[in-house]
Amino acid sequence: MKRLINRKAGGAGSLILGALPFVLLLVAYILASDARLDANPNDKLLPSFASIADAVDRLAFEPDKRKGIYILWADTAASLQRLGIGLAIATALGLVLGIAIGLLPLVRTGFAPFVAVLSMVPPLAVLPILFIVFGLGELAKVVLIVIGIAPFMVRDLSLHVAQLPSETLIKAQTLGASTWQIVTHVALPHAMPRLISSLRLSLGPAWLFLISSEAIAATDGLGYRIFLVRRYLAMDVILPYVIWITILAFVIDYLLKHLSRRAFKWQAEEGGL
Amino acid sequence: MSLISVRDVHKGYGDVRVLERVNLDIDKGEFCAVVGASGCGKSTFLRMLLSQEFPDRGEIYLDGEPLAGEPGADRGVVFQRYSVFPHLTVAENLIAAFEFQSSQFFGRLFGAARKRAFERVEEMLSGVGLARARDLYPKSLSGGVQQRLAIAQALLAEPKVLLLDEPFGALDPGTRADMHEIMLNLWKSREMTIFMVTHDLNEGFRLGTRLLVFDKPRWDPQAPDAYGATITYDLPLEDAADIDLSHFQTKPTEETTHAEP
Ligand SMILES: Nc1ncnc2c1ncn2[C@@H]1O[C@H](COP(=O)(O)OP(=O)(O)O)[C@@H](O)[C@H]1O
Ligand SMILES: [Mg+2]
C-alpha cells in the first residue's frame, strides 16, 4: 500500500471524487427538506425541488404580470451590465496606472503612497458617500465596484511591472527603444497575463460590492431580487438565484482563464489554478 | 583615438569603495576580457559603461564624447539572463532591434524598410544557427540558444561596442565551447569592439585579445571595504600566460551556480 500522499485518482476516479461533495450536499438537502415538509407542509426554509422548479419557471419563462418582463433575465442583464462596466473601468485603471506606477519612477514617487493608503479604505464604508454624491442610480453602483477593486488591481499590476528585470529594460534601451516603445513592447505584454489573473481574483469582491449596493438601493438586479423576496422568506427564489449567480461567476472566471491561456502562449506554465 | 576612454573613475556604494582610479583605453576592434574576484566591481564597471550607473568621480568617453546619460543604441549588451523578450518569438526578437529604431511611436516597420530588416534578420538567423528556432518563444529554448539569440539581437542594432556580463556563465561546458566558437566568428567577421566580463579565466584567454584584471591593490584586513579595486593587470594576451593569476578566486556570481535547465 502506497503512502496516502502518493495516491492519486485516475480519470474516472477523479470525476467521481470531484462530484462526490456535490452529490452529498444534494442528498443532505433532499433529506432535510423532506423531513421539514413532512412536519409542516407550509415550511418555507427548505423548499422542495418541485416548488423551486415552479419558481424558476415563473421568473425565467413567464412574463411578469405587472411589468410584462422576464424577471430573471431582466435582473441578470441589469447586474451584468453594472458588473461589466465596473470591471472594465477598474481593469483600465489597473492597466494604465499600474504600468505608469510600476515603470516610471516619477509617477511611482508621486502615486504609490496614495494608492497604498487608498486601498486600505473599506469600500463599503464609503457606500453611503457614493449614494449621496452619485444618487441612487446606476453610477453609484458602478463606482462602488471600481472603488472596491481598482486599488487592488493598480497595486498588483504596479508591483508586477516593477518586477520587470532591469536587464530587460536596459536591453530594450540599448536596442533604441523610447519610453513609449518600452511601455507598448515590454511593459504591456509583461502586464497583460497578470492583469487577467488580477481581474479573476477581483471577481469575488466585485460581486460582493455589486450585490451589496443592489441590496441597499436598486429597482432591479440579482442582488435586489434576493433581498426583496427575503421579506417573504421566499427560499424557492433565493436558492436558484444564488445558484445562478454562482454559475455566472464560474463561467466568467472560466472564460478569463482560457482567454489568458490562449492569448499569452509565450508564458511559462505556471501550474493550474 | 581610442573608442572608449576611462579617466580616473571612482565608484562606491555608501561606505563601500568598489572601484578606485580606474583608467582604461579601448581601441576599435579590441576584444577585452575582464576577470577578477567575485564582488570586486566588474559588473559595476560594466554598468557604468552602459550608463546604468554613474561614476562618483572621473569621466568615461565613447568616441571622444562623454557617455550619454542613459543607455542607448550605441552600446549593446548581453547579460547572463533576461536578455531577450519572453513574449516575442526568436524572429520577432530580432526584428525588434529594427522596429525600435525605425519608428519612435508605432514601433512598426513599413514597406522597403521592413523588407530590408527581414533580410538582415534571415541572414542573422542562419549566421548564428537559429533558423530552425525562428518561430519558437524563448521559454522553449535552452540557455545556450537564448544567449545566442541575445547576442544576435544586440548585434543587429549595430552598437559601437558590445558589452557582455558573464554571458556564458550559466551554460554547461559543452554549450559554452560552442558559444565561444560563434562569438569568435561574429567578432572576426564584423570587426566589432567587445568588452566581456567573465569569471572564467580560460574563457578570457580563449576569446580576448587583451586581458584586464580587476583587483584591490591595497587591502586593509580591518576594513575590507575601505579601498576599491582597479585594473591591476592589463595585457595583450600573447604575454598573459607568464603571469601568475592563481591567487584570484574567480568564482561565478551567485546565479551562475545554477546549471542550465
Ligand atoms: N546597487 C548596489 N548597492 C550597493 N552595493 C552594491 C550595488 N551593486 C553592487 N554593489 C556592491 O559592489 C560590489 C561589486 O559588485 P559587482 O560589480 O556586482 O561585482 P562583480 O560583478 O565583480 O562580481 C559588491 O560588493 C556589491 O555588493
Ligand atoms: Mg558580476
Side-chain angles (χ1 to χ4, degrees):
Chain A
M1 195 75 162
K2 281 188 191 174
R3 286 182 187 81
L4 203 51
I5 59 160
N6 292 325
R7 293 178 60 190
K8 294 172 187 142
S14 64
L15 215 67
I16 295 172
L17 219 52
L20 195 62
F22 293 101
V23 174
L24 287 179
L25 182 67
L26 213 60
V27 170
Y29 182 88
I30 293 172
L31 292 178
S33 167
D34 279 355
R36 285 189 71 102
L37 288 171
D38 266 352
N40 170 14
N42 290 326
D43 181 66
K44 295 192 123 182
L45 203 59
L46 300 176
S48 70
F49 280 123
S51 55
I52 290 178
D54 227 31
V56 171
D57 189 46
R58 203 173 64 241
L59 293 164
F61 304 113
E62 285 171 24
D64 179 58
K65 289 192 189 65
R66 279 188 295 136
K67 293 190 200 153
I69 53 170
Y70 295 85
I71 286 182
L72 177 67
W73 308 122
D75 284 342
T76 304
S79 287
L80 285 184
Q81 190 187 349
R82 291 167 191 146
L83 192 74
I85 297 174
L87 289 175
I89 295 174
T91 306
L93 282 175
L95 189 62
V96 172
L97 291 180
I99 288 182
I101 292 172
L103 195 63
L104 307 176
L106 287 178
V107 180
R108 186 180 319 167
T109 312
F111 261 97
F114 180 66
V115 173
V117 170
L118 202 65
S119 63
M120 293 298 154
V121 176
L124 280 180
V126 298
L127 184 55
I129 303 176
L130 299 182
F131 282 140
I132 293 169
V133 175
F134 298 112
L136 299 180
E138 297 299 295
L139 191 55
K141 299 176 189 67
V142 170
V143 172
L144 178 68
I145 295 174
V146 173
I147 289 186
I149 64 176
F152 162 75
M153 293 187 78
V154 172
R155 268 187 101 180
D156 193 49
L157 254 294
S158 60
L159 288 177
H160 185 66
V161 171
Q163 279 168 6
L164 260 172
S166 63
E167 285 94 334
T168 307
L169 295 176
I170 299 285
K171 177 75 182 215
Q173 294 178 64
T174 62
L175 297 178
S178 63
T179 298
W180 176 247
Q181 287 173 330
I182 291 175
V183 168
T184 56
H185 285 60
V186 181
L188 193 63
H190 174 76
M192 281 312 288
R194 181 60 166 247
L195 184 73
I196 304 286
S197 71
S198 185
L199 179 60
R200 284 178 63 202
L201 285 176
S202 300
L203 283 177
W207 277 102
L208 170 72
F209 297 125
L210 173 71
I211 292 174
S212 309
S213 60
E214 286 181 343
I216 294 169
T219 53
D220 56 4
L222 298 164
Y224 162 77
R225 194 68 52 196
I226 298 180
F227 279 80
L228 179 73
V229 302
R230 178 189 60 101
R231 288 182 230 158
Y232 320 115
L233 295 180
M235 288 291 273
D236 55 342
V237 173
I238 295 177
L239 287 178
Y241 260 69
V242 170
I243 291 170
W244 178 232
I245 292 172
T246 310
I247 292 172
L248 288 177
F250 189 86
V251 168
I252 297 173
D253 185 61
Y254 179 88
L255 291 177
L256 285 175
K257 182 164 90 179
H258 281 260
L259 171 76
S260 176
R261 283 241 183 95
R262 295 189 63 120
F264 313 118
K265 287 203 193 74
W266 49 269
Q267 283 185 99
E269 291 301 328
E270 276 185 22
L273 248 182
Chain B
M1 185 187 60
S2 46
L3 181 69
I4 295 176
S5 308
V6 178
R7 293 282 165 267
D8 195 34
V9 158
H10 291 58
K11 178 70 184 173
Y13 297 103
D15 292 337
V16 184
R17 313 291 329 140
V18 177
L19 294 170
E20 281 183 350
R21 287 176 296 167
V22 180
N23 286 287
L24 176 65
D25 283 283
I26 302 175
D27 286 330
K28 203 162 178 305
E30 279 193 288
F31 194 141
C32 259
V34 179
V35 296
S38 177
C40 75
K42 306 182 295 293
S43 296
T44 302
F45 186 69
L46 184 125
R47 285 198 295 270
M48 288 193 289
L49 292 180
L50 263 177
S51 305
Q52 192 182 352
E53 308 228 12
F54 304 95
D56 297 335
R57 252 171 73 189
E59 295 286 339
I60 303 177
Y61 301 91
L62 177 64
D63 252 352
E65 303 282 327
L67 269 192
E70 58 181 7
D74 51 354
R75 288 151 290 158
V77 70
V78 175
F79 296 105
Q80 194 178 89
R81 297 192 303 163
Y82 305 122
S83 287
V84 295
F85 302 121
H87 61 280
L88 300 179
T89 64
V90 167
E92 288 166 349
N93 259 290
L94 295 183
I95 294 272
F98 296 99
E99 291 184 332
F100 285 149
Q101 292 185 44
S102 67
S103 153
Q104 281 299 300
F105 194 75
F106 295 108
R108 290 267 173 271
L109 289 163
F110 302 101
R114 187 175 173 81
K115 191 152 168 278
R116 257 200 315 281
F118 272 97
E119 283 166 11
R120 299 264 321 273
V121 166
E122 287 308 324
E123 200 182 305
M124 183 58 92
L125 277 172
S126 45
V128 294
L130 284 170
R132 280 175 40 219
R134 54 172 302 135
D135 293 321
L136 297 178
Y137 287 103
K139 71 166 182 190
S140 52
L141 304 177
S142 71
V145 181
Q146 286 193 25
Q147 288 305 77
R148 243 187 284 165
L149 174 59
I151 293 166
Q153 186 186 44
L155 289 179
L156 282 177
E158 303 197 326
K160 289 177 181 165
V161 57
L162 182 61
L163 307 170
L164 309 171
D165 193 351
E166 303 193 19
F168 314 130
L171 308 180
D172 63 67
T175 315
R176 204 179 301 171
D178 294 343
M179 296 298 293
H180 292 167
E181 209 58 49
I182 292 170
M183 201 66 242
L184 278 177
N185 283 336
L186 287 171
W187 173 70
K188 279 178 192 147
S189 62
R190 297 180 157 246
E191 298 170 357
M192 291 186 294
T193 312
I194 298 182
F195 183 91
M196 179 181 74
V197 171
T198 173
H199 63 267
D200 180 352
L201 204 51
N202 291 326
E203 186 170 274
F205 279 116
R206 170 135 171 61
L207 295 180
T209 55
R210 177 179 176 186
L211 188 73
L212 303 174
V213 180
F214 277 59
D215 195 15
K216 291 186 179 185
R218 295 182 291 173
W219 174 258
D220 177 352
Q222 255 65 52
D225 293 332
Y227 299 110
T230 188
I231 297 172
T232 51
Y233 291 94
D234 176 355
L235 14 113
L237 270 178
E238 294 78 45
D239 312 338
D242 306 335
I243 308 287
D244 176 21
L245 296 164
S246 57
H247 65 283
F248 297 114
Q249 5 135 261
T250 48
K251 288 212 194 83
T253 32
E254 270 158 50
E255 295 157 1
T256 59
T257 49
H258 300 297
E260 206 177 337

